[in-house]
Amino acid sequence: MKNLIKLERARNNITQADLADKVKVSRQTINSIETGRFIPSALLAFKIAHVLQRPVDEVFQLEESDWTV
């Protein structure tokens, strides 16, 4: 799954640590999501999108490979 967290953080002038604090996870978790090493739960994805003031489908986007089993 592709995400635009880094871009949206920049637009909102929010650091990884700031975002992590607001959604109650570690900075390392935010880093892992941004780099694609970790896919967040639906709840965490909605929290991140809310903090970034964007619809969840603008922050997280399915890729073609996500449709294969």
Side-chain angles (χ1 to χ4, degrees), residues 8-67:
E8 293 301 331
R9 280 193 312 97
R11 284 185 186 168
N12 288 280
N13 198 28
I14 298 174
T15 66
Q16 284 183 344
D18 293 336
L19 180 58
D21 186 52
K22 290 175 191 254
V23 298
K24 308 292 189 233
V25 297
S26 69
R27 187 203 57 78
Q28 291 85 352
T29 297
I30 298 299
N31 182 269
S32 292
I33 295 169
E34 282 187 6
T35 59
R37 290 187 312 245
F38 178 73
I39 297 173
S41 68
L43 178 60
L44 181 54
F46 274 91
K47 287 179 179 181
I48 290 169
H50 178 79
V51 170
L52 297 173
Q53 301 175 336
R54 289 292 203 219
V56 71
D57 63 340
E58 285 185 14
V59 179
F60 297 95
Q61 301 164 354
L62 290 175
E63 296 181 284
E64 191 63 35
S65 61
D66 295 323
W67 292 99

